[in-house]
Amino acid sequence: MADLEGIKESLIKGDANKVKELVGTAVKENALVGDILNQGLIAGMNVVGTKFKNNEFYVPEVLIAARAMHAGMEILEPLLEKSGIKPIGKIAVGTAKGDLHDIGKNLVIMMLKGGGFQVEDLGIDVAEEKFVETAKAGTQLIGISALLTTTMPSMKTVVEALKAAGLKDRVKVMIGGAPITQAYADEIGADGYSPDAASAVDKAKELLEIK
Ligand code: B1M
């Protein structure tokens, strides 16, 4: 049986090598990629989040855990990509302007690729001009991730910039991230909201009317 608990604990300790080794072994043992993600990597990062909130962990510990998360994700990404055959749609995803958090964004990208989409990673701290540029280049859906309440308003700026450029009718906007809600999406005129990486795939398909 795959050691998902070991992956979770090693991630909390920030032991990137151990996470890499255990994720590799779990894959060889045919564990489901979704289980490795949810019960191993994400479960570990949730504990890190709680510890950070309770001042038991500080920024360096969180960064080390994030590096361990990336080490595990590197192994899973090609497997998720492999499951998609032909791209079913073109998506660009970035973290909101002023926001440096990228773990959730990267997970969303991995899941979307796994769901069969062609995904452009715009990175972190993405200005509205960059989102507009990608919409002009033919992206069908723009995904924006924000983890800070202070960076949420820049999602609205993107929606407004797309409207100003006359692009809002041909590109959908999906938003997500820990502080984001459906009510906020409605408030700023985003087309959709998704609470997690897995449902982001369903939401993207719904918005692009892909059966
Ligand atoms: Co930051 N941080 N952080 N941090 N950090 C939070 C977000 C915070 C809640 C911690 C806390 O106080 N409890 C808090 C925000 C408070 C607030 O605004 N309400 C916070 C703060 C305050 C800060 C700094 C300001 C700290 C400081 O410097 N004093 C600073 C800001 C830097 C900046 O961005 N300008 C900062 C910095 C950092 C690190 C650099 C140390 C590091 C980021 C490393 C990295 O990303 N490479 C970090 C981390 C790791 C966190 C926590 C601990 C974990 C975030 C994470 O990766 N979660 C976080 C506490 C927490 O969330 N419990 C915290 C795991 C990830 C899988 O979940 O990103 O929510 P999440 O993504 C989910 C869903 O939200 C959803 O799907 C994902 C998977 O299911 N989702 C989408 C996300 N994006 C989506 C997009 C979609 C759809 C779904 O469609 C497009």
Side-chain angles (χ1 to χ4, degrees), residues 48-58 61:
V48 172
T50 308
K51 286 185 181 290
F52 190 38
K53 197 172 177 179
N54 297 336
N55 294 321
E56 291 169 53
F57 269 16
Y58 295 96
E61 284 106 324

Side-chain angles (χ1 to χ4, degrees), residues 45 62 98 100-104 107 145 147-149 177-178 194 196-197:
M45 192 47 88
V62 177
L100 307 178
H101 295 86
D102 68 354
I103 297 171
L107 274 173
S145 173
L147 265 286
L148 299 172
T149 43
S194 161
D196 55 60

